[in-house]
Amino acid sequence: MKIHFTLAGAPAVAGLATAGLLAGGITEKAAEPVTLTDAYSNYFLVGVAINQKQIDGEDQRGDPIIKAQFDSITPENALKWDATQPTPDGYNFTEADRYVEFGEKHHMTIVGHTLVWHNQTPGWVFQDKNGRPLSGTNAADRALLLARMRDHIHTVVGRYKGRIKIWDVVNEALNPNGTLRKSSWEKIIGPDYIEKAFQYAHEADPDAILRYNDFSLEDEPKQSAAIALMKKLLGEGVPVTAIGLQDHDQMKWPSAEREDETISAFAKLGLKVMITELDVNVLGGRRTAEVSEMASQGRANTYANGLPPDLERALAQRYADLFSVFIKHHNDISLVTLWGVTDADSWLNWRGQNYPLLFDREGKPKPAFYSVIKAAGEP
Ligand code: XIL
């Protein structure tokens, strides 16, 4: 679709009422909608993480945005272990089934997130049936956990074989210092839990793209450790086919140059690169609890009354800079996913005082949205 910009530089946005929203800047011709998917159709898919309300069709603000703006979805929580296998007694696919049906109905590339992670995995997974913690020094315990992991991966991936095209198989296995995270998976099974997870996923769906997904892969020494890990897995024939750079970014971190180098470094390994959880924390990367504490002491500028215009502009520029880097690497990047639809949905939202995404709390496109659209139009 052709994108028309008005003289005011504000295109109409599909799924949103243009009257009022773009008042003054709109002509009839320019009212043709503009979308992220269309703007990026020559580069890569643009995806979004969706939450339970959105999966269930209960979010009237988010629904038209998801359908009009994005061509891929990731479930924010619906496919995590605690959602699909909360107890040892059985699986619960109610939400996950709806998620996949949503994606199929709207012809989207459907992502599965995530199979093996240290978070949102119920305690029973790492205990025997009497509640005794499984031990890394006990061969039977290792075998039991491997069997549980295999059953989980085969059941979940197998159920959606051919429908979920991309899986986050292992999530966040590395520490910031580059060592393997001492998760229960690592402690009980050992470091080879990673290759086992990929093998099981590949057995369950040989055609699926299998990702290793992590955050802060732009930083050293974590980046070098991730490269070494990927080289080792690829060298051993482990079926990892993609790297997920989460990109939970800040205004100044990582720099565009560093993002650029990071994508090149992973692409060089022969892996597909995907940006999997993009957002920009305008509160400077501090944890919400920290910000909450600072705010209660009157020490934090938490932007309770909206983002100041200079910061709004800086956020738009930040998004444009990031997308320019992604565009530069479009031959290696197949998908860029935003971690949430509107600022109101974001996991970073703290009492309505963070502004990490492209749509505001009312679902209106922010200056950052327009700058992302514009970045795609630049030569
Ligand atoms: C977050 C979700 O957005 C929250 O709703 C949930 O409470 C916690 O998890 N890295 C990941 C994602 O891989 O699964 C996390 O999602 C954000 C960090």
Side-chain angles (χ1 to χ4, degrees):
M1 181 197 294
K2 238 179 145 25
I3 298 155
H4 300 284
F5 288 91
T6 65
L7 287 177
V13 176
L16 298 154
T18 51
L21 170 63
L22 302 166
I26 210 107
T27 66
E28 219 150 279
K29 191 174 170 215
E32 186 171 337
V34 63
T35 67
L36 295 167
T37 40
D38 286 338
Y40 282 84
S41 62
N42 290 330
Y43 298 131
F44 39 72
L45 301 176
V46 185
V48 67
I50 61 173
N51 62 30
Q52 179 161 350
K53 277 195 164 164
Q54 291 157 349
I55 293 169
D56 291 344
E58 290 168 4
D59 177 4
Q60 272 153 33
R61 184 191 55 215
D63 191 62
I65 305 176
I66 298 165
K67 290 174 185 164
Q69 295 290 333
F70 299 98
D71 41 22
S72 172
I73 46 171
T74 299
E76 193 174 356
N77 292 297
L79 273 168
K80 290 174 180 172
W81 195 306
D82 60 0
T84 55
Q85 201 185 5
T87 68
D89 309 325
Y91 289 85
N92 179 351
F93 287 116
T94 314
E95 204 58 33
D97 282 356
R98 277 191 208 138
Y99 163 73
V100 174
E101 281 155 22
F102 181 100
E104 285 180 334
K105 188 164 167 211
H106 303 294
H107 313 288
M108 292 166 153
T109 297
I110 305 168
V111 177
H113 172 84
T114 179
L115 297 167
V116 176
W117 192 24
H118 61 281
N119 279 337
Q120 293 178 267
T121 305
W124 68 263
V125 176
F126 308 112
Q127 295 161 8
D128 75 3
K129 58 179 187 318
N130 301 315
R132 176 187 60 84
L134 302 181
S135 156
T137 55
N138 180 336
D141 283 0
R142 168 181 149 94
L144 176 61
L145 187 55
L146 274 173
R148 278 183 184 155
M149 187 168 98
R150 184 175 185 282
D151 177 74
H152 182 86
I153 292 176
H154 273 240
T155 304
V156 179
V157 175
R159 183 178 184 91
Y160 303 110
K161 186 175 176 204
R163 303 168 72 195
I164 290 185
K165 307 282 187 201
I166 304 167
W167 275 102
D168 284 328
V169 179
V170 176
N171 202 32
E172 304 180 349
L174 290 164
N175 286 315
N177 70 5
T179 58
L180 271 193
R181 186 190 290 275
K182 290 276 163 212
S183 65
S184 298
W185 296 109
E186 204 277 342
K187 284 196 282 195
I188 298 163
I189 297 174
D192 62 338
Y193 84 89
I194 298 176
E195 59 198 65
K196 296 283 188 205
F198 280 98
Q199 278 159 10
Y200 298 153
H202 186 63
E203 285 162 16
D205 186 351
D207 295 326
I209 294 169
L210 305 181
R211 296 196 300 218
Y212 172 72
N213 189 49
D214 210 332
F215 61 90
S216 300
L217 291 177
E218 292 79 5
D219 283 353
E220 288 295 3
K222 192 167 178 176
Q223 180 174 122
S224 295
I227 290 171
L229 176 63
M230 292 304 111
K231 278 188 175 160
K232 180 171 170 287
L233 295 176
L234 291 166
E236 290 166 355
V238 175
V240 53
T241 45
I243 184 92
L245 308 176
Q246 289 188 3
D247 269 278
H248 290 297
D249 292 343
Q250 298 166 31
M251 292 297 280
K252 299 239 159 78
W253 176 93
S255 69
E257 294 73 27
R258 191 62 191 157
E259 191 63 29
D260 186 347
E261 291 161 8
T262 302
I263 295 164
S264 297
F266 285 104
K268 249 188 8 211
L269 304 178
L271 293 169
K272 286 184 211 300
V273 180
M274 305 192 199
I275 309 301
T276 54
E277 306 186 12
L278 180 61
D279 50 26
V280 177
N281 186 347
V282 301
L283 298 180
R286 290 166 301 201
R287 297 192 169 273
T288 47
E290 223 179 299
V291 175
S292 164
E293 161 95 23
M294 288 169 78
S296 70
Q297 298 165 359
R299 289 193 293 122
N301 176 5
T302 49
Y303 313 124
N305 304 316
L307 205 54
D310 56 335
L311 200 48
E312 187 83 61
R313 278 194 298 275
L315 179 67
Q317 186 60 50
R318 174 68 171 143
Y319 262 108
D321 292 346
L322 286 166
F323 271 83
S324 296
V325 173
F326 304 152
I327 290 167
K328 179 179 166 195
H329 291 278
H330 70 92
N331 287 326
D332 296 314
I333 292 182
S334 48
L335 170 65
V336 174
T337 292
L338 285 131
W339 202 246
V341 183
T342 75
D343 285 343
D345 307 318
S346 170
W347 72 310
L348 298 174
N349 198 19
W350 176 75
R351 291 201 200 158
Q353 299 184 31
N354 210 341
Y355 303 81
L357 296 167
L358 300 181
F359 294 89
D360 72 12
R361 288 178 172 70
E362 279 76 54
K364 289 186 193 139
K366 293 159 60 176
F369 169 87
Y370 294 111
S371 72
V372 168
I373 295 286
K374 196 155 168 267
E378 282 166 0

